[in-house]
């Protein structure tokens, strides 16, 4: 038997709106669609704000191109079926998956594929209850908040725990499956996590796999890209490396990337936060000295080399 149609109470699919009398004329060219939606602004921001990730950025542009052409086909009275836009982002932590999901939500909103364009990011704990009757209300509430936008489920494979017969993750998956199919004109679901675990998850849940049309793999950042990310993060906060500090940070990255639990840009951000703490402690000890702007914005080599990465073993 086919699964019953399921719709989140209090939500509706995006209606086909009547065209206002003062509405702009239907676009006739790709350029007119881009001008009306201003979607290129979002893609340019993606290129500017995220270093590297060239294959991911190209795939996002390909998806955007498909949606733009579909809008033009619709304007010309051609058949344009709503495409399946559910996605899977795989890769290690700190590779920009959440950031790209936010940009994807903006692109979908500007092209009229979702009503609001907001992102709701959740994990298993936000969807799965701990006792009978708890999971469905939790999952429905999250879906209700996400309607009109994008639902981003991080480490989605934790929803499925076949080794625990008292686990309620399967109930959440079944609700998600029905909503992904029956309300795909008002909600896009992005599943994220490590690639090998997501592959296992899809093998165990073929219904979920068949509903996910786009699989994007986020590569780890190269050494030079991590250095550039650090420079950009510091510039955003009005900091810079002092003499010898940049070279010390380069050494830091070489050591840290070989250690467990390295999380790409996330680890870089955490390292910079600790360096700023050491700089603040250093300056705090000079309470009677007049501190210049350079003093307040410069990370010294000692602020970098005080890391345990240089002394561990």
């Amino acid at each position: 038997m086919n699964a019953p149609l399921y719709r989140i109470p209090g939500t509706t699919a995006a209606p086909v709106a009547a065209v206002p009398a003062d509405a702009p004329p239907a676009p006739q060219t790709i350029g007119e669609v881009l001008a009306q939606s201003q979607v290129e602004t979002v893609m340019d921001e993606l290129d500017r704000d995220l270093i590297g990730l060239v294959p991911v950025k190209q795939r996002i542009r390909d998806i955007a191109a498909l949606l733009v052409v579909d809008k033009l086909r619709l304007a010309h009275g051609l058949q344009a079926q709503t495409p399946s836009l559910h996605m899977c982002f795989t890769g290690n932590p700190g590779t920009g998956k959440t950031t790209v999901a936010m940009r994807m939500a903006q692109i979908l909103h500007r092209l009229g594929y979702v009503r609001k364009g907001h992102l709701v990011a959740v994990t298993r704990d936000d969807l799965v209850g701990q006792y009978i009757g708890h999971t469905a209300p939790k999952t429905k509430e999250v879906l209700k908040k996400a309607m009109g936008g994008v639902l981003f489920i991080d480490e989605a494979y934790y929803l499925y725990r076949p080794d625990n017969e008292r686990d309620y993750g399967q109930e959440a998956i079944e609700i998600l499956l029905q909503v992904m199919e029956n309300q795909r004109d008002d909600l896009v679901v992005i599943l994220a996590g490590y690639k090998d675990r997501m592959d296992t998850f899809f093998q165990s849940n073929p219904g979920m796999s068949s509903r996910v049309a786009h699989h994007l793999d986020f590569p780890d950042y190269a050494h030079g890209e991590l250095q550039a990310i650090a420079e950009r993060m510091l510039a955003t906060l009005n900091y810079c490396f002092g003499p010898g500090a940049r070279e010390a940070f380069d050494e830091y990255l070489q050591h840290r990337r070989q250690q467990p639990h390295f999380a790409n840009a996330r680890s870089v951000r955490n390292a910079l936060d600790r360096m700023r703490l050491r700089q603040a402690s250093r300056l705090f000890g000079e309470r009677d000295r007049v501190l210049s702007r350079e003093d307040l914005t410069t990370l010294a080599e000692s602020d970098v080399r005080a890391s345990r990465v240089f002394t561990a073993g």
Side-chain angles (χ1 to χ4, degrees):
M1 293 180 63
N2 293 328
L5 294 179
Y6 184 84
R7 187 167 293 280
I8 300 299
T11 68
T12 58
V16 178
V19 179
D22 58 348
Q28 299 295 311
T29 68
I30 296 293
E32 290 176 2
V33 176
L34 293 173
Q36 288 184 14
S37 65
Q38 296 187 340
V39 72
E40 273 192 312
T41 302
V42 181
M43 292 190 288
D44 290 342
E45 289 174 353
L46 187 64
D47 284 334
R48 184 180 66 249
D49 295 345
L50 280 180
I51 291 171
L53 300 180
V54 174
V56 172
K57 292 175 181 177
Q58 184 57 52
R59 186 64 180 277
I60 295 299
R61 285 189 173 274
D62 291 343
I63 294 171
L66 172 65
L67 301 183
V68 168
V69 170
D70 275 357
K71 284 190 71 69
L72 196 59
R73 286 174 57 85
L74 191 61
H76 282 270
L78 298 172
Q79 181 68 30
Q81 182 180 3
T82 302
S84 176
L85 295 170
H86 303 308
M87 305 178 190
C88 176
F89 290 178
T90 54
N92 290 324
T95 48
K97 295 187 291 294
T98 305
T99 301
V100 172
M102 292 174 63
R103 293 287 188 257
M104 195 71 237
Q106 293 175 322
I107 290 171
L108 295 172
H109 176 57
R110 294 197 180 194
L111 289 172
Y113 284 88
V114 292
R115 290 177 292 119
K116 300 177 182 178
H118 64 300
L119 179 81
V120 175
V122 299
T123 62
R124 170 192 162 88
D125 290 343
D126 299 296
L127 298 169
V128 181
Q130 298 180 355
Y131 51 85
I132 294 176
H134 191 205
T135 294
K138 289 188 71 172
T139 303
K140 292 174 189 177
E141 183 62 27
V142 167
L143 288 167
K144 188 174 181 179
K145 290 178 182 178
M147 283 296 161
V150 171
L151 175 62
F152 181 83
I153 307 176
D154 199 14
E155 297 183 314
Y157 34 75
Y158 285 132
L159 291 175
Y160 182 68
R161 292 180 173 174
D163 54 327
N164 186 352
E165 62 181 17
R166 299 187 60 183
D167 183 72
Y168 305 110
Q170 189 61 40
E171 183 179 1
I173 291 174
E174 290 172 0
I175 295 174
L176 282 168
L177 287 173
Q178 294 187 56
V179 171
M180 288 169 69
E181 180 65 26
N182 302 324
Q183 293 180 257
R184 64 180 185 177
D185 55 351
D186 201 34
L187 177 71
V188 171
V189 175
I190 299 179
L191 309 173
Y194 291 107
K195 181 171 176 33
D196 56 344
R197 296 185 186 181
M198 287 306 303
D199 288 344
T200 301
F201 174 74
F202 284 131
Q203 291 171 7
S204 303
N205 295 273
M208 186 70 77
S209 178
S210 65
R211 286 168 173 80
V212 176
H214 305 281
H215 294 258
L216 284 73
D217 188 39
F218 287 64
D220 288 333
Y221 288 107
H223 184 90
E225 291 172 339
L226 292 169
Q227 185 77 280
I229 288 170
E231 298 274 5
R232 181 172 294 183
M233 288 178 175
L234 287 179
T236 301
L237 297 170
N238 293 312
Y239 281 87
C240 65
F241 286 124
R246 182 176 288 102
E247 293 75 13
F249 185 71
D250 186 75
E251 290 182 41
Y252 169 89
L253 282 177
Q254 293 181 36
H255 292 301
R256 182 65 185 90
R257 291 177 69 199
Q258 298 175 14
Q259 294 182 341
H261 311 300
F262 179 70
N264 289 279
R266 192 178 305 166
S267 289
V268 168
R269 183 181 64 240
N270 292 340
L272 295 178
D273 285 344
R274 289 190 291 271
M275 292 170 195
R276 290 170 55 220
L277 281 173
R278 296 186 200 109
Q279 183 231 34
S281 296
R282 175 170 53 81
L283 296 177
F284 188 76
E286 304 177 25
R287 62 184 63 194
D288 295 326
R289 184 168 73 87
V290 177
L291 298 176
S292 67
R293 179 183 178 87
E294 183 178 359
D295 292 327
L296 295 169
T297 59
T298 302
L299 295 180
E301 181 178 0
S302 60
D303 300 327
V304 181
R305 292 196 179 277
S307 168
R308 288 177 296 177
V309 166
F310 291 101
T311 59

